[in-house]
Amino acid sequence: MKKYIPLLLISFAFASSALAQSLFCPARYSNEVAVIDTSTNQVVTQIPVGDTPIRIATTPDLLKAFVADELSGTISVLDTVARTNIATIRVYRKPGELEVTPDGGRLWVVHQAHLDGDPLHSPVAVIDTATNQLINTVLIPGQGDKDILFTLDGRFAYIANPSAGEVDVIDTTTYQLTSIPTPGFARRLCISPAGDRVYVSNNGDNSVSVIDTATQQVIATIPVGRRPLGNAVTPNGEEVYVTNAQDGTVSVIDTTALTVIATIPTGIRCQRVVITRDGTKAFVQNGFSDTVSAIDTATHTVIATIPVGHRPWTILASPDDMKLYVCNGGDTTVTVIDIPSLTVSDTIADVGSSPFDLKFGP
């Protein structure tokens, strides 16, 4: 007797397959990038890269990934379909945060170290993503730059420059530099959904600066908790969540009043914050508590404290708001949290020593 598979089941299978994505995770002390199949939560391969890979960025089409190899002073270029290392780009000492322009054409890399022979400036490398060639180097004051983001149209790059006490803005067409003073160690940046404001966590000033992207001026400086680090804007643009690492709290800023409207206790050394795409939940990793706090954004309360691996670091939500992935920087695992139930659904083993960053691939 022939067995017939209902058409609905076939369609569902193809739909599920289409939704499945790979996850790329640099392991800092293994000098590899783990490729994780998110449908099975298994590591399917390890891609060798340079010395101490710490950050990863992808092109908008997800076909290429770029990995900052901190101690070898290189960028490893990955083919995310073939899952191979296809090129190594020599840059400057200690590459750190990196990001691809919204049009996918250029990779910008900031560096933790100053330029060789020039202790007063650090380089920002600009790389053509098609040819993997270094096409420009922009020098900015100081060293130890911590974050980079682009305006929505890609016209300007904003860089958190803690040692110089400013946010540097680079015109991506002319490479002209504008420096915006901010108080005390600018650490993390986020941009509003409308693209009209950039919010800056001032780690040394216990405050958040608000920059108007049209005028490139600070329009407010808002006191928050001690040692603010991570930040994120709700999808409707109405609130900003800021982690206060020394206090173990999250400050919630009303973006109309530009004041703190709630302070939420979380865990020890809270650092990163991710808000779901539907805006209903915020997740905070507590680096020294080995937990993730789930916050209800409507009530500004913690609704679950979820145990994860040792020293959780980068967190990333799936595009469908169903899963949260947590790099456990103090071990070799990635924790998978089921967002609807707010429980751990799996622990991905053998990712490598000190998994440090996460990006989705095809």
Side-chain angles (χ1 to χ4, degrees), residues 137-220:
T137 301
V138 183
L139 298 183
I140 60 177
Q143 57 186 299
D145 309 308
K146 291 298 183 184
D147 205 1
I148 180 170
L149 62 74
F150 295 102
T151 50
L152 304 187
D153 60 4
R155 176 65 189 278
F156 295 100
Y158 280 69
I159 298 169
N161 189 336
S163 69
E166 62 192 34
V167 171
D168 292 315
V169 186
I170 302 171
D171 186 312
T172 59
T173 301
T174 65
Y175 298 107
Q176 181 178 347
L177 174 67
T178 301
S179 295
I180 304 173
T182 54
F185 299 103
R187 188 66 181 268
R188 287 286 162 192
L189 310 171
C190 63
I191 192 166
S192 62
D196 58 340
R197 290 177 178 176
V198 167
Y199 298 90
V200 186
S201 295
N202 300 314
N203 185 251
D205 185 63
N206 304 334
S207 67
V208 169
S209 293
V210 185
I211 297 173
D212 184 315
T213 58
T215 64
Q216 295 181 359
Q217 298 290 320
V218 173
I219 58 173

Side-chain angles (χ1 to χ4, degrees), residues 10 94 109 116 190 202 209 348 350:
I10 295 175
K94 298 190 71 174
V109 185
D116 288 340
C190 63
N202 300 314
S209 293
I348 303 170
D350 302 321

Side-chain angles (χ1 to χ4, degrees), residues 15 18 30 50-51 83 95-96 106 110 130 136 157 161 175 247 256 267 304 314:
S30 296
D51 191 350
R83 298 173 177 174
R106 286 171 291 170
V110 300
N136 208 341
N161 189 336
Y175 298 107
D247 289 345
T256 301
T314 300

Side-chain angles (χ1 to χ4, degrees), residues 24 56-59 62-67 75-80:
F24 288 74
I56 185 169
T58 55
T59 52
L62 304 183
L63 298 181
K64 264 187 176 182
F66 300 89
V67 180
I75 304 296
S76 294
V77 185
L78 309 184
D79 180 323
T80 58

Side-chain angles (χ1 to χ4, degrees), residues 28-29 45 91 144-145 189 209 321 325 358:
R28 183 166 49 161
Y29 299 136
T45 192
V91 286
D145 309 308
L189 310 171
S209 293
D321 278 350
Y325 297 89
L358 290 165

